[in-house]
Amino acid sequence: MSEVQWNEVESYIAGRIIGEDAALSGALDAVEAAGMPAISVAPPEGKLLHLLARMLGARRILEIGTLGGYSTIWLGRALPEDGRLISLEYEPRHAEVARANIERAGLSDRVEVRVGLALDLLPLVEADAGGPFDLVFIDADKASIPEYIRWSKLLTRRGSLIIVDNVVRGGRVTDGNSEDPSIVGTRAMFDLLAADPDLDSTAIQTVGSKGYDGMAFILVK
Ligand code: SAH
Ligand code: DHB
Ligand code: MG
């Protein structure tokens, strides 16, 4: 099956049921115009994040890896008026583009982008969150995924959901000899999930405009 077909099916699904609007498509346009990488989640994935946050009744959301705020907007739109989303981003330029996109989406009152290395910011997030996060979306450097999972456990509660993007990487996740830090980090995440009795999880393979990849879904028990 060809990537052309994956793209056609994604466009079909998006055209029928995703409901992307000017703020979302404008965010992707701004990412492209700024010369930032085309690694925002695909529209059906963004909608999945949004629906899951609504199903959970999420009031506090943590995102690690903002880029231009495309996934941030999908997640932020699931929040009630008094809800809060904190998104962590290393690149000041990305954060700047994201903040403008979030402003255009009318979400500046509940969404905050913080600039720095996520592992430096996470200890501060703990103090400011005002309670445990209901949902964490991990989508930054893949080498640090195990540490992000450990932090997520500290910052969530029983019943919270942790979602991790890019856990398949064209199938390279199965290569136990890989020295690519992204693959090593992702495989260490699967080892951690297999061994942790406090976490229950699955992972789904995805195809579409972002190629062949996948997402992990982790319930904090
Ligand atoms: N979640 C976004 C895509 C994020 S791309 C979306 O789907 O729309 C990954 C982002 O993580 C990039 O912007 C990159 O600059 C950022 N990043 C990489 N390493 C990081 C780190 N150590 N701390 C914080 N952000 C990081
Ligand atoms: C990369 C990062 C992502 O978050 C993504 O969705 C796709 C690719 C990357 O760093 O290559
Ligand atoms: Mg990603």
Side-chain angles (χ1 to χ4, degrees), residues 1 8 19 23 30 47 49 72 79 82 91 114 116-118 159 181 197 209-210:
M1 218 180 301
E8 267 175 26
K47 181 82 177 276
L49 298 173
T72 320
L79 287 170
D82 62 346
E91 295 284 348
R114 297 190 174 186
L117 287 170
S209 59
K210 304 294 165 177

Side-chain angles (χ1 to χ4, degrees), residues 53-71:
R54 276 171 59 192
M55 289 172 198
L56 283 168
R59 306 179 74 80
R60 289 190 193 84
I61 298 176
L62 173 65
E63 178 176 67
I64 306 177
T66 319
L67 192 69
Y70 180 76
S71 56

Side-chain angles (χ1 to χ4, degrees), residues 39 139 142 165-166:
I39 56 174
D139 191 19
K142 313 309 171 188
D165 195 24
N166 311 115

Side-chain angles (χ1 to χ4, degrees), residues 181-194:
S182 297
I183 299 300
V184 173
T186 304
R187 289 177 61 86
M189 173 201 76
F190 278 106
D191 292 343
L192 189 157
L193 295 179

Side-chain angles (χ1 to χ4, degrees), residues 48-124:
L48 174 62
L49 298 173
H50 172 83
L51 291 174
L52 287 168
R54 276 171 59 192
M55 289 172 198
L56 283 168
R59 306 179 74 80
R60 289 190 193 84
I61 298 176
L62 173 65
E63 178 176 67
I64 306 177
T66 319
L67 192 69
Y70 180 76
S71 56
T72 320
I73 293 170
W74 275 116
L75 286 165
R77 284 182 170 176
L79 287 170
E81 239 173 83
D82 62 346
R84 183 134 189 246
L85 188 161
I86 298 176
S87 187
L88 311 180
E89 172 55 52
Y90 175 63
E91 295 284 348
R93 175 89 189 103
H94 295 182
E96 194 183 308
V97 171
R99 285 182 184 127
N101 286 334
I102 289 158
E103 174 78 38
R104 273 195 296 275
L107 290 167
S108 297
D109 60 336
R110 60 202 88 170
V111 175
E112 184 191 347
V113 180
R114 297 190 174 186
V115 179
L117 287 170
L119 288 173
D120 292 340
L121 297 173
L122 282 163
L124 311 170

Side-chain angles (χ1 to χ4, degrees), residues 140-188:
D141 55 313
K142 313 309 171 188
S144 304
I145 291 174
E147 295 203 69
Y148 296 150
I149 302 268
R150 281 184 209 107
W151 269 106
S152 297
K153 282 186 70 177
L154 291 172
L155 296 171
T156 53
R157 55 166 172 85
R158 219 178 143 168
S160 293
L161 176 64
I162 304 166
I163 304 174
V164 187
D165 195 24
N166 311 115
V167 301
V168 172
R169 305 302 288 250
R172 286 182 293 128
V173 68
T174 59
D175 181 2
N177 296 318
S178 176
E179 287 171 15
D180 175 345
S182 297
I183 299 300
V184 173
T186 304
R187 289 177 61 86

